[in-house]
Amino acid sequence: MATVHPEPPSSEPGSAVDFTGPFVDHLGIRLTSATADEVQATWSAEPHLHQPYGIVHGGVHCSVVETLASVGAALWFAERGKVVGVSNSTDFYRAVREGELSSVALPVHRGRSQQVWVVETHDAEGRIVARGQVRLQNLEA
């Protein structure tokens, strides 16, 4: 089982999993634990992630869900190839303006050709903020 430490190194170009990049940096996602069975991260509800009404944009929640699910799915599929998202359904339960958020991704199904992961985001008080499910296609090398 692969494990990523709190500050995972950049992967080599062309590798199956790249935990870094300008978009992930822009979102402020900090992976605290990442294995093939669970991915945990923290991030902050910052003003640059707000929509016009001053709350975190729904697309940001979708992006966090897709990012964590993709990391877990890629770690599980590992050297067999790559994974790509094919469906993302995210529900928003609580508007957030500021503060620390924590997100956890867990697998629901891991099959020969596809995987399904669920990701929940909670605020600092433990209340659920968003929950999403991502279906990913396994692409054999």
Side-chain angles (χ1 to χ4, degrees), residues 77-90:
F77 204 54
E79 68 278 349
R80 290 175 281 176
K82 298 181 180 185
V83 296
V84 294
V86 294
S87 175
N88 180 331
S89 176
T90 302

Side-chain angles (χ1 to χ4, degrees), residues 30-136:
R30 299 175 300 276
L31 291 178
T32 57
S33 173
T35 71
D37 296 316
E38 179 180 75
V39 178
Q40 297 179 13
T42 59
W43 54 288
S44 298
E46 301 287 337
H48 73 279
L49 302 176
H50 289 177
Q51 45 93 303
Y53 296 119
I55 60 175
V56 174
H57 193 286
V60 172
H61 290 292
C62 292
S63 297
V64 170
V65 166
E66 182 112 6
T67 299
L68 271 61
S70 296
V71 168
L75 287 170
W76 181 77
F77 204 54
E79 68 278 349
R80 290 175 281 176
K82 298 181 180 185
V83 296
V84 294
V86 294
S87 175
N88 180 331
S89 176
T90 302
D91 295 307
F92 318 116
Y93 298 110
R94 178 176 294 280
V96 178
R97 295 182 185 284
E98 61 185 13
E100 286 295 305
L101 300 168
S102 60
S103 301
V104 176
L106 296 168
V108 174
H109 168 77
R110 294 184 288 199
R112 181 182 47 79
S113 62
Q114 293 190 341
Q115 299 181 55
V116 176
W117 284 70
V118 66
V119 180
E120 289 189 351
T121 297
H122 292 84
D123 64 15
E125 296 174 31
R127 300 174 298 190
I128 191 162
V129 171
R131 182 182 189 275
Q133 180 171 294
V134 176
R135 185 168 49 92
L136 303 110

